[in-house]
Amino acid sequence: MPPILELIGLRKRFGALDALADVSLSVAPGELVFVLGPSGSGKSTMLRCCNLLERPDEGAVVLEGRDIAARGVDLDAARKRIGMVFQAFNLYPHLSALANVTLALRKALRLPRAEAEARGMAALDRVGLADKARNMPGQLSGGQQQRVAIARAMALEPAVMLFDEPTSALDPELVDEVLAVMRELRAAGMTMLVVSHEMRFARAAADRVVFMDRGAVVEQGPPERIFEAPRSERLRAFLSRRA
């Protein structure tokens, strides 16, 4: 089965800094790929290149068989196929949870209000927040706000979900409720590319773990091998600092 998302030879520079240096990575349908590495290793830049929030200087981003980084591609259409959840919740504070979820459905997909609200309620129900649909973000905990953000991305019915440090802004006691939603998405077969420092989640839920450092993929493999028998000195040093 061909990959649903494939990065081929990505390079990205910010001035004199090589943020990405020839990164290639593929994600199979239904796979959960977990990306870890030290700060500044290029993880978030790589993720943002997947939906062209950052345009690579070189290389291809192949989504469902098409290079969406090529000239002339309808980026708005491509981005509807890639959901993204950020570290910051990025909810509109003046809109209810349901209105935040349905905004893109009405503006991007141009769904009628009733259809958008039905799909939005279904997405909120999947993250356990149907009863909070009319609440404003300020009335929700950080974990609940992040779950609304996940529902917003899910409601577009993307082919791939990207998660950029989805729990790093949360108090420790709220992290598990977000990870529980991600586990449920994993069980339902959602394709996920996750950048995070949640090692326990990676061990328990990931199909594959990718280690990045200095803008490159250094090592990748199943969680048990990455964590128990790392092959590169850079990965061994990274894991030892988190032991």
Side-chain angles (χ1 to χ4, degrees), residues 29 36 40 56 63 76 79 82-83 87 91 111 115 129 146 163 165 171 191 204 208 217 221 228 230 239:
L36 56 84
L63 175 68
D76 288 337
R79 285 175 178 149
I82 307 180
Q87 175 179 340
L91 301 180
L111 297 182
E115 185 178 348
L129 289 176
Q146 190 62 293
F163 292 84
E165 300 282 6
D171 292 333
T191 305
R208 182 159 42 103
V217 173
E228 302 302 331
L239 293 175

Side-chain angles (χ1 to χ4, degrees), residues 10-161:
L10 289 193
R11 294 182 180 273
K12 179 66 181 178
R13 302 176 190 88
F14 296 106
L17 173 67
D18 283 326
L20 297 178
D22 196 22
V23 169
S24 294
L25 181 68
S26 64
V27 183
E31 188 178 26
L32 193 166
V33 176
F34 187 100
V35 184
L36 56 84
S39 296
S41 60
K43 307 183 301 295
S44 291
T45 299
M46 180 272 293
L47 206 66
R48 291 170 66 86
C49 284
C50 290
N51 62 359
L52 282 300
L53 288 177
E54 295 286 357
R55 184 173 284 277
D57 297 317
E58 299 176 31
V61 179
V62 181
L63 175 68
E64 298 178 303
R66 183 176 63 160
D67 181 8
I68 64 172
R71 293 185 180 278
V73 171
D74 184 344
L75 278 185
D76 288 337
R79 285 175 178 149
K80 292 170 188 173
R81 301 294 294 153
I82 307 180
M84 187 157 185
V85 178
F86 300 88
Q87 175 179 340
F89 318 128
N90 294 334
L91 301 180
Y92 290 102
H94 63 290
L95 297 179
S96 69
L98 180 60
N100 268 282
V101 173
T102 60
L103 186 63
L105 297 175
R106 293 190 292 109
K107 300 298 185 183
L109 299 189
R110 301 188 181 280
L111 297 182
R113 181 177 294 273
E115 185 178 348
E117 291 197 350
R119 192 188 288 192
M121 284 300 299
L124 285 171
D125 187 55
R126 285 189 69 184
V127 300
L129 289 176
D131 61 330
K132 303 291 186 182
R134 304 299 173 185
N135 286 45
M136 308 301 280
Q139 298 172 308
L140 303 174
S141 71
Q144 289 171 332
Q145 290 185 60
Q146 190 62 293
R147 285 152 62 193
V148 171
I150 293 172
R152 177 178 56 190
M154 287 169 39
L156 290 169
E157 299 178 353
V160 179
M161 287 275 283

